[in-house]
Amino acid sequence: MLGAWLLAGDVRAQEIPTRKDTVAAPADTTKQKFDERVMSNLREISQRKTIMGKLLKAILVFDRRDEEVLGLDAELIQREYERHNYKVVRHINIMTLDALGYSIHDTTRVPRSFLEKAGNSLHVKTRRHLVRNKLLFQRMEPLEPLALVESERLLRQTDYLLDARIIVDERTTTDDSVDVLVITKDIFSLGGSGSYTPSSGSGRVALRELNFLGLGHQIRGSYRFNMNAPRSWETTAGYTVENIGNTYITADINYFDQNFYKERSAYLRRDFFATNTRYAGAVGASKIDEQLLLPPVPEDTIQRFAEVGYHRQDLWLGRSFKFKSYNLGFEPRGRLITALRVINTNFYTKPTENFQDNVLGIASLGYSVRRYYKDRYLYGFGRTEDIPAGTLASVSYGYERGDLFNRRYFGLDLSFARYNKEAGYLYSRAGYGSFIRNGKWEQGMLELESLYFTRLYENGNWKLRHFILGRSTIGINRNPEELLSINNEEGLRGFRSGLLRGNRRVVINYEANLYTPFKLFGFRLATLVFADVAWLSYGNKSSPFKSTPFQGFGAGIRFRNEYLSFSTIQILVGYYPKIPANENFNNLRIYESSRSYYDFEDFRFTQPGIAEFR
């Protein structure tokens, strides 16, 4: 890890200014002077021949190279390109840039330092044909609406690319043809993460290569050791090959050997990756063994588990239909989608009589409208990020044929999101699903979710954004062994209870992120504070709000180098005033995490299925 940090130490993270309006507001010289004064004082200290001066000079980067990106507040359908729709693409010129020292916005910039050049020598640059295979338009064919912006978004969301731009060369454009320039910038694709606890000797090591030999293949692996668990070690591995033969079909092979979960699976899948994708589907098989947590009783002091094991074969196919448009310069975003899925499950270990071998067939009808906007400082530290907005509605109906009983399934889901550069982003979702047997609704679930984040507040080089997430999961006539927790991502971040379980849950999370102008070994720094509240109840007719909620409060730091494939590293301190009965752990906890607590829900139609109760 230290070697990778030193390798990236001389890389300057990009600071991308927002587009300036035609009538600009007067500059706030007070804010500018404050930032300049802070940085000037730190720079002056770093030049002293003291221990503090040498430390600041070693870890902070004061020189900034700004880059200008326009259109970050605009929807990803650029009106200036509409006049090129249906023109023939004469040439597609592809420029791939190495990970360190290059700029996607200034192609004349080259690596200057030894560390940048050395880092690039260890990195295999992405092959041009991989970029070409991602494009939704081809040479000597008409340029269809949305092809440019959708191709750029797909490239930007590729794991081994930091950013991408697709530009129509206006200098060579004619009335019936165009030349297109595609520019991509790699990340340093070899990376990983790790942790170690000196008091217990436990730790975790994870490695991944996101672009093996420049071919776009992904290899992942992790190993945990000296765990306080039935077995002291765990390991996982995975291999992914994406966009096989320019078909957007991806192959996944996964292996998990953990204490309470084991999986061996292989899948071929193709998503509705773009707005105008017509066909999607998947086929695969898996073998899964897991330890199912049993319902707690008041006298429990340790967790009780039952074993469940099964083989599963899965197949689904979907087709989207677009609506007629009488405007050749605009393609409608709405899609009507139909899908059918068949799942065959055979249990070789059954913990209770509620598990049966079965074949489930389920059909869905959905309507999807997708659009994307550009913004910064959401999950990244200045790179361009695509924000999904739109509407997704679907209704599902299925039939399960089992060796003990047969039953039907009904599901309904509705979600929408709106984005405004001044007001921020609002996402809401409501979903319901339940089996029906002999006129009785069973194993039902109602889900409600809403996410809001504010616009980016800027004070010189300091940036602030707030996040609020509300979620509720209400189980309806669930089986006794189907339980919810409020641990970590499911409720209170950093909270870990082995006994606290229920089947009705309500959670509210708040977080404020402050992005600083400081860099540590090329890693940009941010600070955060959070407050979480969770209600949990047990019983199909219970109310979560009748009990005192569990709470979590804390703060931490977050750092990331956008040029490397290392996960975002977070070090957090959490305080939990209320401790579950029969459990003894500290109210105060210091821990590290590489997962982002919030994430976007894309309005991409996915495979039909049973709503997961977790």
Side-chain angles (χ1 to χ4, degrees):
M1 174 71 76
L2 180 59
W5 282 358
L6 292 174
L7 181 65
D10 201 50
V11 179
R12 274 53 166 181
Q14 302 172 8
E15 178 66 22
I16 305 175
T18 56
R19 182 172 63 183
K20 298 180 181 179
D21 295 331
T22 304
V23 181
D28 192 335
T29 56
T30 303
K31 295 178 182 178
Q32 293 176 348
K33 289 181 179 179
F34 171 77
D35 289 327
E36 291 173 0
R37 185 166 61 251
V38 170
M39 297 304 294
S40 176
N41 290 339
L42 290 174
R43 186 194 298 268
E44 181 182 348
I45 296 174
S46 71
Q47 294 173 350
R48 299 174 184 173
K49 296 182 180 181
T50 61
I51 294 178
M52 179 59 69
K54 293 179 179 179
L55 178 62
L56 287 176
K57 187 174 182 180
I59 66 176
L60 293 181
V61 179
F62 295 97
D63 296 328
R64 180 182 300 279
R65 293 185 294 182
D66 292 343
E67 296 184 352
E68 185 175 3
V69 181
L70 301 180
L72 289 182
D73 60 344
E75 184 183 351
L76 283 181
I77 172 68
Q78 300 296 331
R79 293 293 177 181
E80 63 264 27
Y81 291 153
E82 284 189 358
R83 64 181 179 273
H84 301 307
N85 287 336
Y86 298 106
K87 291 183 179 180
V88 174
V89 179
R90 280 196 310 264
H91 301 287
I92 301 176
N93 300 312
I94 297 176
M95 178 185 296
T96 58
L97 303 177
D98 237 321
L100 307 178
Y102 292 95
S103 168
I104 199 169
H105 311 294
D106 181 3
T107 54
T108 63
R109 184 179 297 178
V110 295
R112 297 178 180 177
S113 71
F114 168 78
L115 291 177
E116 289 176 342
K117 296 176 181 178
N120 288 333
S121 68
L122 299 175
H123 170 71
V124 180
K125 191 166 60 172
T126 300
R127 310 286 178 88
R128 284 191 177 94
H129 78 271
L130 290 181
V131 175
R132 190 180 303 275
N133 288 346
K134 286 277 187 177
L135 302 179
L136 302 179
F137 55 92
Q138 297 181 9
R139 183 174 176 270
M140 303 311 295
E141 291 189 0
L143 184 61
E144 295 184 359
L146 291 181
L148 284 173
V149 291
E150 284 285 85
S151 298
E152 182 180 301
R153 178 182 63 83
L154 291 172
L155 288 170
R156 191 159 43 242
Q157 292 180 347
T158 301
D159 291 336
Y160 49 83
L161 296 179
L162 175 70
D163 207 345
R165 290 291 182 272
I166 301 181
I167 304 167
V168 172
D169 191 343
E170 301 290 352
R171 297 170 302 175
T172 61
T173 296
T174 66
D175 292 338
D176 59 1
S177 60
V178 294
D179 294 331
V180 179
L181 173 63
V182 181
I183 309 174
T184 65
K185 178 176 171 58
D186 286 1
I187 63 171
F188 194 83
S189 57
L190 178 63
S193 61
S195 63
Y196 181 73
T197 305
S199 59
S200 63
S202 63
R204 175 179 177 271
V205 177
L207 294 174
R208 63 177 174 270
E209 170 56 66
L210 300 179
N211 193 6
F212 182 64
L213 298 179
L215 299 174
H217 296 198
Q218 300 180 17
I219 304 173
R220 306 172 300 278
S222 69
Y223 180 75
R224 300 187 68 166
F225 54 90
N226 291 340
M227 299 176 61
N228 183 20
R231 193 181 65 189
S232 63
W233 60 272
E234 293 181 346
T235 185
T236 67
Y239 187 79
T240 299
V241 181
E242 64 168 11
N243 198 16
I244 300 172
N246 197 21
T247 62
Y248 271 90
I249 295 176
T250 297
D252 287 309
I253 299 175
N254 293 301
Y255 174 81
F256 297 88
D257 189 358
Q258 301 170 327
N259 273 278
F260 304 107
Y261 184 82
K262 295 179 174 61
E263 176 185 337
R264 294 154 183 82
S265 62
Y267 281 89
L268 289 173
R269 56 181 172 85
R270 187 179 195 263
D271 301 324
F272 286 108
F273 53 89
T275 304
N276 52 4
T277 303
R278 291 190 295 173
Y279 291 98
V283 60
S286 60
K287 178 185 178 183
I288 295 176
D289 294 273
E290 57 183 316
Q291 300 286 322
L292 190 68
L293 185 64
L294 294 176
V297 295
E299 59 270 18
D300 276 351
T301 57
I302 61 173
Q303 296 172 304
R304 296 182 298 115
F305 294 91
E307 294 184 359
V308 56
Y310 56 91
H311 294 278
R312 174 167 288 172
Q313 298 84 41
D314 196 347
L315 170 68
W316 81 277
L317 180 65
R319 172 72 158 92
S320 73
F321 302 88
K322 68 179 180 180
F323 298 93
K324 271 190 177 181
S325 173
Y326 299 97
N327 182 356
L328 293 180
F330 176 75
E331 185 170 352
R333 297 300 187 95
R335 293 293 187 273
L336 184 67
I337 302 171
T338 60
L340 178 65
R341 185 182 184 189
V342 178
I343 308 170
N344 180 38
T345 306
N346 295 290
F347 291 90
Y348 51 85
T349 305
K350 299 181 181 180
T352 71
E353 66 278 2
N354 293 320
F355 294 79
Q356 64 166 351
D357 295 346
N358 66 85
V359 177
L360 173 64
I362 186 168
S364 288
L365 177 66
Y367 174 74
S368 172
V369 178
R370 282 193 280 166
R371 56 179 62 90
Y372 295 87
Y373 298 84
K374 296 179 183 179
D375 207 335
R376 303 170 298 137
Y377 294 100
L378 291 163
Y379 307 110
F381 283 69
R383 61 182 172 85
T384 304
E385 299 179 67
D386 300 313
I387 302 176
T391 302
L392 176 62
S394 66
V395 59
S396 301
Y397 183 83
Y399 185 80
E400 179 186 291
R401 184 173 183 176
D403 58 352
L404 300 177
F405 52 82
N406 302 328
R407 55 183 179 171
R408 294 171 291 145
Y409 179 80
F410 174 78
L412 186 64
D413 203 286
L414 175 64
S415 59
F416 74 91
R418 299 293 181 266
Y419 171 79
N420 182 278
K421 65 177 183 178
E422 297 297 331
Y425 176 85
L426 176 63
Y427 165 83
S428 294
R429 174 182 174 267
Y432 176 79
S434 178
F435 284 98
I436 309 167
R437 178 161 56 117
N438 298 328
K440 180 182 177 181
W441 297 68
E442 62 183 15
Q443 285 186 279
M445 179 177 67
L446 173 66
E447 282 188 294
L448 302 173
E449 181 179 357
S450 186
L451 169 65
Y452 172 74
F453 64 75
T454 66
R455 68 179 178 90
L456 187 67
Y457 298 96
E458 300 187 64
N459 187 335
N461 290 324
W462 300 78
K463 299 171 176 60
L464 175 67
R465 198 187 293 273
H466 302 270
F467 295 80
I468 301 175
L469 174 64
R471 297 168 287 169
S472 65
T473 303
I474 308 299
I476 303 172
N477 295 328
R478 304 298 304 193
N479 293 329
E481 64 272 8
E482 297 175 316
L483 300 172
L484 303 170
S485 79
I486 57 171
N487 291 343
N488 296 314
E489 288 83 4
E490 297 170 348
L492 311 181
R493 71 199 82 190
F495 189 82
R496 48 179 182 177
S497 170
L499 299 176
L500 187 62
R501 295 294 186 272
N503 46 30
R504 296 192 170 193
R505 176 182 63 201
V506 178
V507 180
I508 299 176
N509 308 107
Y510 165 77
E511 179 177 306
N513 290 339
L514 178 65
Y515 300 91
T516 76
F518 306 121
K519 305 179 190 67
L520 176 68
F521 297 119
F523 285 72
R524 308 194 68 170
L525 300 180
T527 62
L528 64 106
V529 295
F530 66 86
D532 300 332
V533 181
W535 293 264
L536 185 68
S537 66
Y538 182 76
N540 284 318
K541 296 184 179 180
S542 63
S543 171
F545 298 109
K546 288 186 177 180
S547 59
T548 305
F550 290 85
Q551 304 168 48
F553 306 95
I557 61 173
R558 175 183 297 151
F559 47 100
R560 179 185 180 92
N561 190 321
E562 297 282 15
Y563 300 100
L564 307 180
S565 65
F566 290 105
S567 303
T568 299
I569 302 172
Q570 300 181 102
I571 301 176
L572 305 171
V573 179
Y575 174 70
Y576 312 97
K578 183 181 178 181
I579 301 300
N582 298 346
E583 290 194 272
N584 183 22
F585 58 82
N586 293 329
N587 298 78
L588 188 67
R589 184 187 176 203
I590 301 176
Y591 64 101
E592 63 85 24
S593 172
S594 60
R595 294 185 179 182
S596 175
Y597 198 70
Y598 307 94
D599 199 3
F600 288 126
E601 293 293 337
D602 202 342
F603 292 89
R604 176 187 307 174
F605 186 92
T606 57
Q607 62 188 19
I610 308 302
E612 293 187 23
F613 189 73
R614 58 182 177 81

